[in-house]
Amino acid sequence: MAQMTVTPWEVRGAIDYDRLIEIFGVKPLTDDLVKLTEKIAGENHLFLRRRVFYAHRDYDVFLKRYTEGGAVALYTGRGPSSRVHLGHLVPWIFTKWLQERLGLELYFQLTDDEKFLYHREYSLEHTNSMAYENLLDLIALGFDPSKTHVIVDSDDIALLYKIAVRVAKKITASVVKSVFGFTDSTNIGMYFFPSLQIAMCFLPSELRREVVLVLIPAAIDQDPYWRVARDIATSLGYPKPAQIHSKFLPGLGPEGKMSSSKPETAIYTTDPPEQVYRKIMNAFTSGQPTAAMQRKLGGNPDRCPVFAYYAMLFEEDDKKLEERYHRCRNGELLCGECKRELAERVAKFIEEHQRRRGKAKDIVESFLLRTKIRSRR
Ligand code: TYM
């Protein structure tokens, strides 16, 4: 089994989520916090009850401030290296639910600069155009334009720069070397970049001219940024940002997260539905090599990406999910059938998403923070 690596740019190996809680120094999401969220939101979310979101920092503080009527907001983002895949939708779907249920403003950052600086092969024109492509996926999920404020780093730097230089002055090269693993051959753009992802935590406070506590829903790979952000926040007069961390939607291969760096194991939102179907039918499963052996020995849903897709996104009903689990374990359910059902559900989801994505083009402007600021002047 490959050794586990989890950084903002690379996730490899079998992921031990409990161990990540220890390594990153975050807290597990407790039953009490899940119940409190349900009470506030007025409904339950499968991401919480199944612990797809499973760890946090100061989520309790965030909820308390929210219930007391204090200023709070949501912040999340995307590094637009290429097309959006299903994994990226996990934090966004949850963010949208929080926006809707709690009536919150969302600040969304597209870091085209980060992906240009990190990937040798990408031009800035490429990552910048991907930013606007990726934005269509965000819009397709149904975020409220009046409450969703998007910035594209290379086009909107004026909005962030004054905060970013103050942030940058607080962070030494030795900190980013140890937190992000940068070396002497890492370009200096990357050394500065974390100050932009961190600055965005404080932008709501600047724009609203009050102390705004942000909650960041994201997968746990982004945690290194928040560790640094929290270390310097108070010295700059801002509250420490809170986080709620998700697990990764796995790729269609034997291990690792769904990742753009492994396109054959990723389902992109813009894949034709037939291709989605084919990719899932070719997916790795935890089943036995033959149907006869599967009937005799059963499969291992705990280590199966196909089962994970049902558990994380494509089976709402807890009872049905449990039945699927047991039918797999005891050899009643064969992998072909399980994959076929999933392929149908995912292809349908993708088709619907593409329909909404097509319409999103007409309303992009209404999500851009720069457009809103200009029209207020
Ligand atoms: P990026 O583009 O790598 O990822 C975008 C968001 O998707 C999450 N993610 C996943 N979640 C579940 N399963 C997966 N397989 C999976 N792969 C990626 C990431 O955790 C992230 O939440 N530097 C950032 C861009 C950014 C950002 C932010 C992200 C700027 N500000 C604030 C989160 C919050 C990036 O490259 O994300």
Side-chain angles (χ1 to χ4, degrees), residues 254-292:
E255 60 185 25
K257 70 158 190 165
M258 184 170 286
S259 162
S260 306
S261 60
K262 288 180 273 170
E264 70 292 355
T265 66
I267 296 168
Y268 296 97
T269 56
T270 45
D271 279 344
E274 314 78 69
Q275 193 180 359
V276 169
Y277 196 94
R278 207 170 42 244
K279 280 184 181 175
I280 294 177
M281 291 312 290
N282 289 333
F284 166 86
T285 66
S286 66
Q288 306 296 340
T290 65

Side-chain angles (χ1 to χ4, degrees), residues 87-153:
H88 300 127
L89 299 188
V90 169
W92 302 353
I93 289 170
F94 188 60
T95 304
K96 194 215 153 204
W97 182 78
L98 287 172
Q99 175 177 78
E100 225 169 61
R101 305 306 305 183
L102 277 63
L104 298 174
E105 309 265 323
L106 163 67
Y107 295 81
F108 191 91
Q109 181 177 34
L110 284 152
T111 55
D112 57 342
D113 49 352
E114 173 194 15
K115 296 297 157 163
F116 164 66
L117 290 165
Y118 181 74
H119 293 278
R120 205 178 278 266
E121 69 275 27
Y122 292 150
S123 67
L124 190 54
E125 289 70 26
H126 167 77
T127 57
N128 184 257
S129 75
M130 287 319 298
Y132 291 92
E133 277 295 311
N134 291 182
L135 178 51
L136 300 179
D137 289 288
L138 186 82
I139 296 173
L141 292 179
F143 283 91
D144 176 350
S146 69
K147 289 205 171 90
T148 305
H149 316 300
V150 175
I151 80 156
V152 179
D153 277 1

Side-chain angles (χ1 to χ4, degrees), residues 75 78-79 87 109 114-115 197 218-219 221-222 249 257-258:
Y75 161 37
R78 157 81 178 137
Q109 181 177 34
E114 173 194 15
K115 296 297 157 163
Q197 184 153 333
D221 60 334
Q222 299 297 312
L249 187 75
K257 70 158 190 165
M258 184 170 286

Side-chain angles (χ1 to χ4, degrees), residues 157-192:
I157 192 62
L159 291 169
L160 274 186
Y161 197 64
K162 284 185 179 159
I163 311 172
V165 287
R166 289 194 199 106
V167 167
K169 197 170 174 179
K170 297 274 176 196
I171 306 172
T172 62
S174 79
V175 166
V176 286
K177 278 181 174 179
S178 76
V179 174
F180 297 102
F182 295 166
T183 65
D184 284 353
S185 48
T186 306
N187 69 60
I188 61 169
M190 285 302 289
Y191 275 78
F192 180 71

Side-chain angles (χ1 to χ4, degrees), residues 330-343:
N330 66 25
E332 250 176 82
L333 178 62
L334 300 185
C335 297
E337 184 189 337
C338 194
K339 286 200 274 195
R340 203 156 32 247
E341 269 181 62
L342 180 70

